[in-house]
Amino acid sequence: MTDVMSTQGQFPGAAGESERTRRLRSLGLNEPSADEAFDRFAHLAASITRAPIAMVNFINDERQMFRGLYIPPNSSEAVAEEGASWADRGIAFDLPTRQMPLSHGFCPHVVAQRSPLALDDILAYPRFAGNPVVDELGVRAYLGAPLVDDTNTVIGTVCVLDREPRQWGRERLRDIQHLAEALLSEIRLRDTLLAQQQEMFAAFDGSPFPIMLTDGPGQEIRYANAQHGDTFGAPAAYGGIGVAYPQLGAAGLQQAVAEAYHTGRATVLNDVRIQPGRLEGQRIQQIFSFTCTPLRTARTGQINGVLTVGMDVTAQSRTEEELGTLAALLVDRLQQSGPPAGRPGITGETGLGLSG
């Protein structure tokens, strides 16, 4: 294995990184993109508690990420009609981006205390009344419960908000706790899929071709096989391709992966010249071709990542057809072994279902 992922499918991440962030990485939940399943759950939370705003919020060392979000439909419409964004109205962060600083809101307190928090009128609590969301979003009431996974790690919250004071009461408190417990079944499913994932990664590690999986719109590297590490070395830093592998990023691979992700079509990048190191006292230049294949959820067709396969064409007359065939075989391997990056039900460009 490379340093990107160990044989247990965990990422080392940055020095001092918390167990919570490592868990979110391993579950494929460490970025703020929308997730339909979590959006539906947020809508359910709003319905049950009769609150206008609800979130499924995962919290790493740097930010809060609203993978599930429900706000009244007319809220965004009213903003659009007025021709003003949230920022134009003096708000320091933009809810549609689905992320928030750790200094904003009350979910970080729930995570830190590992217990539910009910604030009927935030202005009545001096400790919380000065929080930025009070002035910037007009939040006056909050109810949240922690998401404690099977490793006893608090990875986030389920919460609801109101712009008016609310008497949540014991019944609503029980509701939000039950919702958090119910949501953990989705997290357990992802853990089960992670176990299936190990078989897939073991098979990929035996491949003589460099293989890499990236996740989400930020194209963070989720996995790289042993051949990828032998060929291109350990990543310079954790993150996207351009950060982890500056040479590959400069050669255009990051752009090719982004194109596959955003267009939903496989892309091919040819004539990538790599200086991998010294061999028998001489620096040997290698020439690679890469194919980048988007991966989709079988249930919704939403693109969640990209499978990238490299082929050394320095001394061989390889064709794009051969490279495409290899990528299709690897997608088929994904179908047999479960979805990558801790995401349930992923398919490749060929339409092959990959649900476990």
Side-chain angles (χ1 to χ4, degrees):
M1 279 292 186
T2 75
D3 288 338
V4 178
M5 170 175 275
S6 73
T7 54
Q8 282 70 45
Q10 304 297 322
F11 299 86
E17 186 175 76
S18 70
E19 177 61 27
R20 181 171 65 253
T21 297
R22 286 192 290 270
R23 279 291 290 156
L24 291 173
R25 288 196 193 283
S26 70
L27 292 166
L29 297 173
N30 198 45
E31 43 89 16
S33 62
D35 187 304
E36 287 193 5
F38 292 136
D39 277 348
R40 287 194 296 270
F41 203 91
H43 194 174
L44 176 63
S47 298
I48 290 176
T49 62
R50 298 185 180 180
I53 302 170
M55 302 169 179
V56 175
N57 185 7
F58 297 103
I59 301 176
N60 64 18
D61 297 333
E62 299 176 348
R63 59 184 173 174
Q64 305 176 67
M65 300 165 289
F66 307 131
R67 296 297 296 266
L69 176 63
Y70 175 78
I71 59 176
N74 60 355
S75 296
S76 57
E77 292 170 4
V79 172
E81 289 174 0
E82 295 169 6
S85 68
W86 292 100
D88 292 333
R89 296 164 60 193
I91 296 173
F93 53 87
D94 195 8
L95 278 179
T97 66
R98 292 180 176 258
Q99 59 185 310
M100 185 185 291
L102 295 177
S103 59
H104 289 58
F106 311 103
C107 290
H109 296 278
V110 173
V111 168
Q113 298 298 319
R114 303 176 62 93
S115 61
L117 177 64
L119 301 175
D120 296 339
D121 184 352
I122 294 168
L123 296 183
Y125 300 87
R127 177 186 177 189
F128 299 114
N131 192 282
V133 300
V134 177
D135 292 332
E136 295 174 2
L137 288 177
V139 175
R140 289 289 301 275
Y142 171 90
L143 180 64
L147 291 168
V148 185
D149 71 6
D150 288 346
T151 71
N152 201 35
T153 303
V154 185
I155 57 176
T157 70
V158 176
C159 71
V160 293
L161 311 172
D162 204 325
R163 294 173 183 264
E164 302 292 336
R166 286 282 300 269
Q167 294 293 323
W168 297 113
R170 292 185 178 180
E171 182 179 354
R172 292 290 177 258
L173 181 61
R174 285 195 300 267
D175 287 342
I176 203 72
Q177 289 177 293
H178 290 161
L179 285 166
E181 292 170 3
L183 185 58
L184 288 172
S185 63
E186 170 73 13
I187 307 303
R188 293 188 184 99
L189 173 61
R190 291 176 186 242
D191 261 341
T192 299
L193 293 172
L194 281 173
Q196 297 176 359
Q197 197 177 82
Q198 305 317 310
E199 299 179 9
M200 175 193 70
F201 289 143
F204 280 10
D205 265 348
S207 172
F209 302 97
I211 301 171
M212 178 173 64
L213 297 172
T214 52
D215 182 43
Q219 295 304 318
E220 289 188 342
I221 297 174
R222 300 289 300 157
Y223 164 81
N225 71 345
Q227 185 61 40
H228 192 283
D230 291 343
T231 305
F232 305 116
Y238 185 85
I241 296 170
V243 174
Y245 291 100
Q247 190 177 16
L248 293 178
L253 185 58
Q254 179 170 310
Q255 182 177 352
V257 170
E259 181 181 346
Y261 182 87
H262 291 294
T263 67
R265 298 187 297 272
T267 61
V268 176
L269 180 65
N270 292 314
D271 198 32
V272 176
R273 298 174 182 271
I274 301 296
Q275 303 285 355
R278 296 186 181 278
L279 180 63
E280 295 181 357
Q282 295 182 349
R283 184 170 291 277
I284 305 300
Q285 183 184 68
Q286 290 176 281
I287 304 174
F288 279 84
S289 289
F290 293 90
T291 183
C292 310
T293 306
L295 304 173
R296 304 172 183 269
T297 58
R299 183 173 53 195
T300 67
Q302 180 181 4
I303 297 173
N304 281 314
V306 176
L307 168 70
T308 298
V309 182
M311 182 177 287
D312 186 353
V313 297
T314 307
Q316 303 178 52
S317 179
R318 300 284 190 176
T319 65
E320 288 188 17
E321 182 179 356
E322 288 178 287
L323 193 56
T325 299
L326 172 62
L329 290 173
L330 293 177
V331 168
D332 186 59
R333 173 67 70 177
L334 289 176
Q335 179 185 16
Q336 297 174 28
S337 303
R343 293 182 176 276
I346 293 179
T347 69
E349 177 69 12
T350 55
L352 299 171
L354 299 179
S355 52

